[in-house]
Amino acid sequence: MTIETVSTNRSFGGTQGVYKHSSRETGTPMVFSVFVPDHAPGAKLPVVWYLSGLTCTHANVTEKGEFRRACAELGLIFVAPDTSPRGDDVPDDEAYDFGKGAGFYVDATAAPWAANFRMRSYIESELPETIGAHFPADMARQGIMGHSMGGHGALTISLRNPGRFRATSAFAPIVSPLHCPWGEKALGGYLGADRAAWREYDACALIEDGARVPELLVDQGGADTFLKEQLKPELLEAACAKAGIPLTLGLREGYDHSYYFISTFMEPHLRWHHERLTR
């Protein structure tokens, strides 16, 4: 469980690091970033996970997410993993929405993807072990958030692991891959044609099948070009209403799908997480 330090930088009274390790789950080197606020010796800090969207790596939110000032003030460790395995021997697809950069946080079962595309196990098991071993992280106080494909990841991982995350939020999440072109392509390609096997990777289906979280926070840009065809927050709203899950859904008029949107609402989300992680 050794890690290599790629870079470190001081920022807002903390340390922004980028790290690399050899993953047992993906069979490849994996890169992730961690921001650690300054803290008293021996102190353990709550952790917020951020899962990125299609085409992204750890670097997108690390460079454009504008989270460090709030994390330093609130005392939150911020972890940003990659979205897929990487490397010359890893299978890929020419399209942006499948293959490298588009792991969809699933454990693939179909060839040739099954050997490397194990992002579910990497995020749910391997990387938390690594963070707990190498950083001053209080793994009893975790929150998770994500954007778009990463919002799908955050919602489904939280729903599948009841009690692990005290707070769950998302920016413009893919709420039901069973009912959008991105999801049908990804889940069909990674898991095969049996749609019943897709349900554990669909937030709305998980809720319908009995999974629960205490509450959810979701922000969605009203000018997001993917809103109607791919994201469909109304499906999550209906699923939460039927299941009795409190959902705070903010439709932010004029905002799109980009990091201009994410960075605008990053601090309110972090403060929401902090409130729940420090109760």
Side-chain angles (χ1 to χ4, degrees):
M1 200 180 289
T2 60
I3 65 172
E4 171 190 343
T5 300
V6 177
S7 65
T8 58
N9 296 92
R10 291 289 292 164
S11 181
F12 291 106
T15 300
Q16 176 64 67
V18 177
Y19 307 92
K20 180 189 293 186
H21 69 143
S22 295
S23 169
R24 68 169 185 262
E25 292 294 345
T26 69
T28 67
M30 295 294 291
V31 178
F32 59 94
S33 76
V34 183
F35 177 74
V36 180
D38 288 350
H39 55 282
K44 295 283 190 178
L45 306 179
V47 181
V48 175
W49 298 83
Y50 179 93
L51 306 185
S52 292
L54 288 166
T55 75
C56 292
T57 70
H58 71 282
N60 297 74
V61 70
T62 304
E63 296 170 2
K64 298 184 288 188
E66 300 186 25
F67 57 86
R68 279 175 285 270
R69 184 192 297 273
C71 284
E73 175 192 337
L74 300 170
L76 299 174
I77 292 175
F78 190 94
V79 181
D82 203 346
T83 55
S84 78
R86 310 277 176 174
D88 293 340
D89 296 330
V90 174
D92 198 11
D93 187 271
E94 292 182 356
Y96 77 95
D97 55 357
F98 194 71
K100 293 179 188 177
F104 254 81
Y105 304 99
V106 308
D107 280 354
T109 56
W113 314 101
N116 304 111
F117 281 74
R118 295 184 51 79
M119 292 303 295
R120 170 183 177 173
S121 291
Y122 178 71
I123 300 296
E124 287 187 350
S125 300
E126 183 178 9
L127 191 55
E129 293 172 15
T130 303
I131 296 299
H134 292 278
F135 298 92
D138 182 353
M139 303 305 283
R141 293 187 292 163
Q142 297 184 70
I144 191 167
M145 64 167 68
H147 169 235
S148 193
M149 178 186 74
H152 140 77
L155 294 174
T156 55
I157 288 170
S158 184
L159 285 161
R160 286 196 306 264
N161 293 274
R164 177 183 295 188
F165 302 99
R166 295 192 189 181
T168 306
S169 72
F171 304 102
I174 302 170
V175 305
S176 184
L178 280 156
H179 297 98
C180 74
W182 279 339
E184 291 187 356
K185 179 177 182 177
L187 299 186
Y190 293 133
L191 304 176
D194 180 9
R195 294 175 70 91
W198 302 6
R199 294 185 67 83
E200 62 186 315
Y201 297 108
D202 183 298
C204 294
L206 283 165
I207 292 170
E208 183 179 330
D209 292 345
R212 297 291 183 266
V213 291
E215 57 184 324
L216 293 171
L217 171 64
V218 173
D219 272 302
Q220 170 65 60
D224 191 325
T225 56
F226 302 115
L227 176 58
K228 292 184 179 180
E229 183 180 25
Q230 304 281 11
L231 305 177
K232 304 183 179 181
E234 67 277 4
L235 298 181
L236 181 64
E237 189 172 32
C240 287
K242 186 175 181 179
I245 299 173
L247 167 66
T248 301
L249 176 60
L251 185 63
R252 307 300 184 175
E253 293 299 339
Y255 286 90
D256 60 16
H257 200 68
S258 73
Y259 270 88
Y260 293 107
F261 158 64
I262 298 165
S263 62
T264 300
F265 298 99
M266 179 65 79
E267 182 175 338
H269 276 241
L270 289 170
R271 291 190 180 280
W272 188 85
H273 279 259
H274 176 261
E275 180 182 347
R276 286 148 184 81
L277 293 174
T278 56
R279 283 174 178 169

